[in-house]
């Protein structure tokens, strides 16, 4: 069998892309009027990010974007998903707009279009202006309003050239890693604060969709990191733990967005933390549940869930993620450098289950991220023979095709990530790129996975 025969085949018009995010690659943290974000504050706080690194320089994409767009053109992708740094556009979170920030994204978009690549812009990939966090961050409704204003500014500037817009990336991480687990900026460990953040993120999404529609964009959507939660055993306790995990990871987003309701399992999941939800207002569900042109899904791994006692003995310290479940290591599976199990079938299962649950209310799907961090090594010939990443991508694209064959309307796939980058609290040690970045020299080296993905895209056009 030839190599190209082994590639899964996708329908004509299926979008292949690559994705990145502003704070993870741009650097230039204090240049051209960019204000501080919560990730600047978090990464500069000693002890929070592995090896004490920051995104100050990252991949220096702010200066090297022409080289990175050339890599995308050579890769043959249809689309490039990047994110816009809110603090470059509105440095203080509200008030004056920074024209140099807008100019940077206009230049990037023009470079992409000249290379024949469709831009797909994410408005919020976690770099909240610090000034807004100082006023309560996502715990307060005002942040959703400021997000809508910023969206209107950016869309007013770029809507004519950017066809696909994503309001939020993985709001689960913003709300729960940011305000409950404390492993993402702003590093809070709260109960109701995290639940209020989840709600205000959704309100911000709804207000941003309104702003995108007013600007006349072609496609508006949101990206969720949905989980495929599996019970560790068949016990009733483990199955109940899966319901709680599903509620927090999936239903808290999909129910308001796709079904116009809050999850019916929220009280058994959060107990007193969710009672008397004073952050919810009449009309919010209609705002949040506006029709979308697509749903973005980021998918990496299944999660095996077991019942677990409360981790906090003191109820006063109870956080929104302390809802009696624990993740269990999946025996027998290969694990990536993130220690995530590789189970491609779970990708098919997640998508099919979503279709079964929401039926026609499910908009077309774009897989806005999928990929793996591996223990890459540079060979003596200078290449990176990342066979595990190639196997991961092949497995997941094959699983994705199985979901299409089962009737799920998936329109696109973006590999995460174009470049090795700042992997949040893990720093630069975890490499997700299909292009290696040498952080001392900023030299880019396409890995074997880049060449494999390029050949896979080319084979679709044979
Ligand atoms: O690097 C992140 C990205 O920012 C959001 N989705 C998951 C990726 C890998 O952890």
């Amino acid at each position: 069998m030839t190599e190209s025969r082994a590639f899964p085949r996708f329908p004509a018009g299926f979008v292949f892309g690559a994705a990145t995010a502003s704070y993870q690659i741009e650097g230039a943290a204090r240049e051209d009027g960019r204000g501080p974000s919560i990730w600047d504050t978090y990464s500069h706080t000693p002890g929070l990010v592995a090896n004490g690194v920051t995104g100050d320089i990252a991949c220096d994409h702010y200066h090297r974007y022409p080289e990175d767009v050339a890599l995308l053109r050579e890769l043959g992708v249809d689309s490039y998903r990047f994110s816009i740094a809110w603090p470059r556009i509105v440095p203080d979170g509200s008030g004056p707009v920074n024209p140099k920030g807008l100019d940077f994204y206009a230049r990037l978009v023009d470079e992409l279009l000249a290379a024949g690549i469709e831009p797909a812009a994410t408005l919020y990939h976690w770099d909240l202006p610090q000034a807004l966090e100082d006023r309560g961050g996502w715990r307060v409704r005002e942040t959703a309003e400021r997000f809508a204003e910023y969206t209107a500014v950016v869309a007013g500037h770029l809507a004519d050239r950017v066809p696909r817009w994503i309001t939020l990336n993985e709001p689960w991480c913003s709300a729960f890693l940011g305000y409950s687990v404390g492993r993402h900026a702003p590093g809070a460990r709260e109960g109701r604060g995290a639940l209020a953040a989840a709600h205000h993120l959704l309100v911000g999404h709804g207000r941003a969709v309104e702003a995108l529609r007013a600007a006349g964009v072609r496609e508006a959507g949101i990206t969720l990191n949905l989980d495929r939660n599996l019970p560790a055993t068949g016990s009733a306790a483990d199955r109940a733990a899966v319901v709680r995990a599903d509620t927090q990871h999936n239903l808290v987003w999909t129910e308001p967005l796709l079904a116009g309701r809050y999850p019916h399992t929220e009280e058994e999941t959060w107990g007193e933390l969710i009672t008397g939800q004073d952050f919810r207002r009449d009309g919010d569900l209609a705002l949040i549940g506006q029709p979308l042109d697509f749903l973005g899904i980021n998918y990496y791994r299944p999660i095996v869930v077991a019942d677990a006692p409360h981790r906090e003995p003191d109820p006063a310290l109870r956080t929104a993620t302390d809802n009696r479940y624990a993740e269990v290591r999946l025996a027998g599976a290969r694990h990536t450098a993130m220690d995530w199990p590789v189970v491609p079938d779970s990708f098919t299962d997640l998508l099919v289950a979503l279709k079964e649950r929401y039926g026609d209310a499910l908009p077309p799907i774009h897989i806005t991220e999928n990929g793996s961090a591996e223990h890459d090594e540079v060979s003596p010939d200078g290449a990176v023979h990342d066979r595990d990443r190639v196997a991961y991508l092949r497995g997941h694209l094959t699983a994705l095709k199985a979901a299409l064959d089962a009737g799920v309307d998936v329109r696109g796939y973006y590999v995460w990530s174009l470049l090795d980058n700042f992997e949040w609290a893990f720093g630069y040690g975890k490499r997700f790129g299909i292009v290696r970045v040498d952080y001392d020299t900023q030299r880019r080296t396409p890995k074997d996975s880049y060449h494999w993905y390029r050949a896979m895209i080319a084979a679709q056009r044979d």
Side-chain angles (χ1 to χ4, degrees):
M1 195 192 257
T2 65
E3 176 71 3
S4 68
R5 281 234 193 98
F7 293 134
R9 300 287 297 209
F10 286 82
F14 191 87
V15 173
F16 287 99
T20 63
S22 48
Y23 190 71
Q24 294 182 272
I25 65 164
E26 284 179 1
R30 280 176 283 279
E31 260 181 76
D32 288 345
R34 178 185 176 280
S37 83
I38 55 173
W39 269 99
D40 295 297
T41 307
Y42 189 90
S43 65
H44 280 268
T45 305
L48 294 184
V49 173
N51 301 316
V53 295
T54 72
D56 284 2
I57 299 171
C59 307
D60 196 30
H61 170 79
Y62 190 79
H63 301 112
R64 293 168 196 263
Y65 71 90
E67 181 184 351
D68 294 335
V69 173
L71 283 164
L72 288 162
R73 187 184 52 226
E74 180 61 24
L75 185 57
V77 287
D78 305 296
S79 180
Y80 171 55
R81 174 180 178 235
F82 60 96
S83 80
I84 294 171
W86 185 351
R88 280 197 200 285
I89 310 298
V90 191
D92 294 325
S94 64
V97 170
N98 175 29
K100 288 188 175 170
L102 286 170
D103 285 351
F104 168 66
Y105 294 105
R107 290 198 303 277
L108 172 63
V109 163
D110 288 344
E111 189 88 8
L112 288 165
L113 293 173
I117 298 165
E118 264 194 355
T122 304
L123 287 155
Y124 186 69
H125 200 124
W126 309 347
D127 32 11
L128 182 72
Q130 181 62 43
L132 292 183
E133 178 57 29
D134 295 343
R135 301 214 291 268
W138 288 107
R139 299 173 194 86
V140 300
R141 202 173 177 98
E142 185 208 334
T143 299
E145 293 308 314
R146 299 293 83 79
F147 183 56
E149 287 167 10
Y150 146 73
T151 299
V153 169
V154 177
H157 208 70
L158 296 174
D160 57 335
R161 284 165 288 167
V162 176
R164 184 166 302 124
W165 292 80
I166 295 159
T167 54
L168 306 175
N169 178 72
E170 301 184 2
W172 181 83
C173 295
S174 303
F176 294 108
L177 290 183
Y179 289 91
S180 176
V181 181
R183 287 298 286 146
H184 272 197
R189 300 205 64 232
E190 299 174 11
R192 282 170 76 84
L195 296 173
H199 185 69
H200 294 138
L201 281 153
L202 285 169
V203 171
H205 155 79
R207 298 280 290 116
V209 170
E210 289 179 335
L212 292 172
R213 298 278 181 236
V217 306
R218 192 183 82 191
E219 292 176 36
I222 186 172
T223 280
L224 305 175
N225 53 323
L226 297 179
D227 277 348
R228 179 75 183 153
N229 295 304
L230 306 167
T233 71
S235 74
D238 285 351
R239 280 188 278 117
V242 166
V243 171
R244 295 192 291 274
D246 265 343
T247 304
Q248 187 205 103
H249 283 267
N250 301 334
L251 302 182
V252 68
W253 316 110
T254 56
E255 289 289 280
L257 286 164
L258 304 177
R261 60 185 177 232
Y262 299 110
H264 71 280
T265 47
E266 63 180 16
E267 294 219 345
E268 71 189 79
T269 300
W270 284 301
E272 76 280 3
L273 292 179
I274 195 71
T275 50
Q277 319 88 343
D278 48 6
F279 43 80
R280 291 178 180 168
R281 293 198 187 155
D282 289 349
D284 282 356
L285 281 172
L287 177 71
I288 296 165
Q290 289 170 78
L292 298 176
D293 301 306
F294 68 93
L295 175 66
I297 294 178
N298 294 351
Y299 189 76
Y300 290 89
R301 54 152 173 174
I303 298 191
V304 181
V305 171
D307 184 42
H310 276 302
R311 275 167 270 148
E312 293 285 3
D314 178 354
L317 293 179
R318 195 175 157 200
T319 71
T321 40
D322 178 31
N323 38 26
R324 293 164 288 131
Y325 65 82
E327 194 178 328
V328 176
R329 193 178 168 82
L330 184 60
R334 184 179 85 78
H335 285 67
T336 70
M338 295 293 282
D339 212 20
W340 292 349
V342 180
V343 188
D345 287 353
S346 66
F347 191 18
T348 317
D349 296 344
L350 174 99
L351 293 166
V352 169
L354 200 61
K355 173 75 185 165
E356 280 168 2
R357 185 176 187 105
Y358 293 106
D360 291 343
L362 186 65
I365 290 169
H366 279 273
I367 303 305
T368 40
E369 288 180 25
N370 173 247
S372 67
E374 303 292 352
H375 300 287
D376 295 336
E377 282 175 19
V378 182
S379 298
D381 61 359
V384 180
H385 301 301
D386 56 339
R387 292 164 67 168
D388 285 339
R389 185 176 291 104
V390 170
Y392 181 98
L393 295 178
R394 185 196 299 279
H396 283 78
L397 278 157
T398 303
L400 178 60
K401 180 57 176 28
L404 268 80
D405 292 343
V408 186
D409 183 3
V410 186
R411 306 273 175 95
Y413 173 93
Y414 293 78
V415 70
W416 183 267
S417 179
L418 174 68
L419 303 172
D420 289 339
N421 59 50
F422 176 80
E423 178 56 21
W424 308 110
F426 294 96
Y428 294 99
K430 306 292 181 198
R431 292 179 177 270
F432 274 91
I434 58 173
V435 174
R436 180 180 177 85
V437 176
D438 177 326
Y439 295 111
D440 294 328
T441 62
Q442 291 295 346
R443 180 151 180 246
R444 275 77 163 137
T445 305
K447 304 177 189 176
D448 283 5
S449 53
Y450 173 98
H451 298 296
W452 179 86
Y453 191 46
R454 180 173 180 271
M456 207 256 350
I457 295 170
Q460 309 296 317
R461 294 163 187 161
D462 286 348

